Amino acid sequence: MRYWISAFVVALVVAGFWLSTGTGQQLIQYQTQSPARGDVESVVNTAGTTKAVVTVEVGTEVSGLITELYVDFNDDVTQGQAIAKLDDRTYVAKLRQAEADVVMAQASLAQQKATLTKSNTELARTERAYTRQQQLMQQKLTNQSELDDARAAFETAQAQIILAQAQIQSAEAQLLQRNAQLEQAQLDLDRTTIRSPVNGTVIDRQVDTGQTVAASLSAPTLFTIAQDLSRMQIEADVDEADIGKVQHGQLVRFQVDAYPDRRFSGEVAQVRKAATNTNNVVTYKVIINAPNQQQLLLPGMTANMNIVRGSKQDVLRVPNAALRFKPVGITAETQPQPDMAANLIKQLNLNADTATKVKQLYAEFGKAMQQSRSQNAGNPMTDARQLMTQQRQKLQNALQLVLTEQQYQQYLQLNEQRRNRAPEAEAGTRAQVWRLNAAGQPEAVNIRIGLANDEYSELLGGDISESDKIIVRAVRVD
């Protein structure tokens, strides 16, 4: 009895093995799609806020009561046009006081000049008296006391000249000071009339007639003027993973909620290098210029944008689903990759210690690339070239810390030479797809892809034709 039970169990195992091996191939059905020609457009999605190219906040440099407003919202203004008026009575009084101070300073200067003239006359008189006393002393017709008195009077007159000249300089300086105060008083009076600094449109007004403004610490903003609303500017925040794809001059298409059926266009004007870190998310500012001749776009609108990296028409393309497909249990034959660390060590003739560090850096680089590929294998929006560029930049930064300056410069030259020797056919990004062979089995094909959108990637090279059946997914059939 025990024998028959053992035989039955063995029969069940053999039957299960036969079913799994004999019919397992037929339980998998491959869905395929052939490469076809079409258009491919690669874009970077982002959002931003519209604003005028030049926005001027008009304030006041003096304090006072708003007595008149000459413009309102949406009014067009010209440079120098009066747009508001402050109560100027206090500043008129200060101006009159400054004018009176100037007159007093001019009178004081004239008085000091008259004193100088008087001192010159006195100096001439004492000089003649002193000379006469000297002559009389030589003739023994006077005494030493009178000669000394004449000499003292002469020297005092000389000192008075110096004093009068100094007083004139002081009076002149005081006059300059009073003139400066007069100019300041006139300037403050002129500033009670608020004028537009540019040609433009008033887009904001923050004061009303009768309101008091104080400019003690900073100039308060009264109006906001957009210089030219026929041209708009959009500030967009682009993620660090996409910023490498954005370049000056690229076409930008965007929409705003106010006109959902209308598409606007612009171009990238600037990619700013300063990063912004918000909750560990790093973004960069990208400035887009957009024409607004009809003035449909208003400042502050939210623009949903597509920055066009590139566009190609009528190119052979493969579905992105094919790039993500990997059959279970089948290993593709890959070409052996060159040992980049060994080549670099040999070319730079590195010592043992440095060579060990370089090997470790390249090993970490390989692990990081494998981890990145596995994490993003199912993400159709992943840009393999961007990931490769980021990892290579990290490797390059690490090598700069290990190599000497001369070795690092030689490393950069070797990289440049390698890129220059790369043939035109090697352009694009390496990828792999699977196609059905004549026996109906999947086989791996190495290809190179270029521009990509959400659904398709441009096929640049590889042993693939439009008649091949590229596997996009596999399903089990009951």
Side-chain angles (χ1 to χ4, degrees):
M1 183 67 178
R2 191 176 295 174
Y3 170 79
W4 288 107
I5 293 175
S6 300
F8 180 72
V9 171
V10 171
L12 287 176
V13 171
V14 171
F17 176 78
W18 179 82
L19 288 173
S20 63
T21 56
T23 63
Q25 296 284 350
Q26 300 176 0
L27 294 178
I28 302 297
Q29 180 178 353
Y30 296 105
Q31 297 181 4
T32 63
Q33 185 175 344
S34 298
R37 291 193 170 274
D39 300 338
V40 177
E41 183 179 76
S42 180
V43 299
V44 174
N45 299 315
T46 184
T49 304
T50 61
K51 58 181 296 186
V53 176
V54 178
T55 302
V56 181
E57 293 183 347
V58 183
T60 174
E61 298 182 65
V62 295
S63 303
L65 183 72
I66 301 289
T67 57
E68 293 183 79
L69 291 176
Y70 303 126
V71 296
D72 203 350
F73 292 94
N74 301 334
D75 285 350
D76 293 330
V77 294
T78 58
Q79 185 176 8
Q81 176 183 340
I83 57 178
K85 180 69 175 177
L86 299 180
D87 185 2
D88 61 356
R89 289 176 295 178
T90 301
Y91 298 98
V92 170
K94 289 182 179 180
L95 176 63
R96 291 175 180 173
Q97 179 64 44
E99 290 174 345
D101 290 341
V102 169
V103 174
M104 291 182 61
Q106 290 173 344
S108 176
L109 177 60
Q111 183 180 0
Q112 297 303 328
K113 288 182 178 180
T115 300
L116 177 61
T117 302
K118 180 181 178 181
S119 298
N120 284 328
T121 303
E122 182 65 18
L123 176 64
R125 186 189 68 77
T126 56
E127 183 179 10
R128 289 193 300 270
Y130 178 53
T131 301
R132 186 166 54 252
Q133 287 296 327
Q134 286 179 327
Q135 293 173 354
L136 292 174
M137 189 64 181
Q138 291 175 356
Q139 297 174 8
K140 306 298 183 178
L141 297 176
T142 187
N143 55 35
Q144 185 64 37
S145 177
E146 292 181 353
L147 177 62
D148 291 341
D149 291 342
R151 180 177 180 180
F154 175 63
E155 292 177 349
T156 301
Q158 288 179 323
Q160 288 294 331
I161 291 293
I162 297 174
L163 178 60
Q165 291 174 344
Q167 289 175 340
I168 288 177
Q169 291 179 349
S170 176
E172 288 176 344
Q174 188 174 13
L175 178 60
L176 290 175
Q177 184 180 12
R178 299 306 183 191
N179 280 325
Q181 292 174 352
L182 176 61
E183 291 177 2
Q184 182 63 50
Q186 183 64 58
L187 184 59
D188 289 342
L189 179 60
D190 293 340
R191 286 173 175 170
T192 59
T193 300
I194 312 301
R195 300 183 182 276
S196 173
V198 295
N199 298 329
T201 303
V202 178
I203 60 175
D204 189 19
R205 174 175 62 81
Q206 300 185 13
V207 292
D208 290 303
T209 303
Q211 182 175 342
T212 301
V213 293
S216 56
L217 298 178
S218 61
T221 301
L222 308 182
F223 300 90
T224 301
I225 299 177
Q227 185 171 4
D228 185 7
L229 291 180
S230 65
R231 295 182 299 119
M232 297 297 288
Q233 194 175 76
I234 305 174
E235 288 189 0
D237 292 320
V238 178
D239 189 84
E240 62 176 329
D242 296 326
I243 195 63
K245 310 171 188 176
V246 181
Q247 298 178 359
H248 178 271
Q250 287 179 333
L251 174 67
V252 179
R253 291 193 297 268
F254 64 94
Q255 291 177 299
V256 295
D257 293 339
Y259 307 100
D261 298 329
R262 189 183 183 100
R263 179 176 293 183
F264 300 88
S265 63
E267 69 174 15
V268 176
Q270 186 182 50
V271 180
R272 294 182 178 171
K273 301 182 184 300
T276 302
N277 192 325
T278 305
N279 296 329
N280 294 327
V281 177
V282 179
T283 58
Y284 292 84
K285 285 287 185 185
V286 176
I287 307 301
I288 294 99
N289 286 339
N292 188 30
Q293 298 297 332
Q294 298 180 349
Q295 298 193 6
L296 298 177
L297 299 174
L298 302 178
M301 287 183 171
T302 300
N304 300 309
M305 294 174 290
N306 288 329
I307 302 175
V308 181
R309 293 180 54 203
S311 178
K312 291 189 177 180
Q313 290 74 37
D314 194 30
V315 294
L316 197 61
R317 59 187 188 178
V318 294
N320 292 334
L323 302 176
R324 300 189 297 270
F325 173 78
K326 291 185 183 300
V328 179
I330 301 178
T331 303
E333 296 183 0
T334 58
Q335 297 180 354
Q337 298 294 327
D339 190 343
M340 295 184 293
N343 291 340
L344 183 62
I345 293 171
K346 181 178 180 181
Q347 291 171 330
L348 300 183
N349 193 22
L350 302 178
N351 57 39
D353 184 33
T354 306
T356 301
K357 296 179 180 178
V358 169
K359 289 180 180 178
Q360 182 179 358
L361 291 177
Y362 272 96
E364 294 174 354
F365 169 73
K367 292 180 181 178
M369 287 303 302
Q370 291 178 358
Q371 183 179 4
S372 179
R373 291 192 187 100
S374 62
Q375 290 177 349
N376 297 279
N379 186 1
M381 300 301 295
T382 299
D383 190 333
R385 282 179 292 183
Q386 182 69 14
L387 295 176
M388 174 68 78
T389 301
Q390 292 176 353
Q391 294 299 332
R392 283 178 176 172
Q393 184 62 47
K394 292 180 180 178
L395 173 64
Q396 183 172 314
N397 295 339
L399 287 173
Q400 188 175 7
L401 300 177
V402 172
L403 303 176
T404 64
E405 181 64 24
Q406 182 178 0
Q407 291 171 343
Y408 181 70
Q409 294 300 325
Q410 188 176 356
Y411 160 75
L412 295 179
Q413 293 176 2
L414 292 172
N415 277 350
E416 185 67 23
Q417 293 173 3
R418 178 176 56 82
R419 286 192 292 266
N420 293 337
R421 288 195 302 266
E424 188 69 22
E426 294 296 314
T429 303
R430 294 188 184 95
Q432 189 179 76
V433 296
W434 294 78
R435 67 183 173 190
L436 290 180
N437 56 19
Q441 298 299 318
E443 63 176 5
V445 181
N446 293 323
I447 62 173
R448 284 188 172 270
I449 57 176
L451 290 178
N453 56 23
D454 295 345
E455 298 182 6
Y456 296 97
S457 294
E458 176 192 11
L459 180 62
L460 296 179
D463 185 19
I464 286 212
S465 65
E466 297 184 38
S467 60
D468 288 332
K469 296 182 178 180
I470 308 300
I471 302 175
V472 294
R473 65 179 58 85
V475 295
R476 290 187 176 274
V477 180
D478 296 335

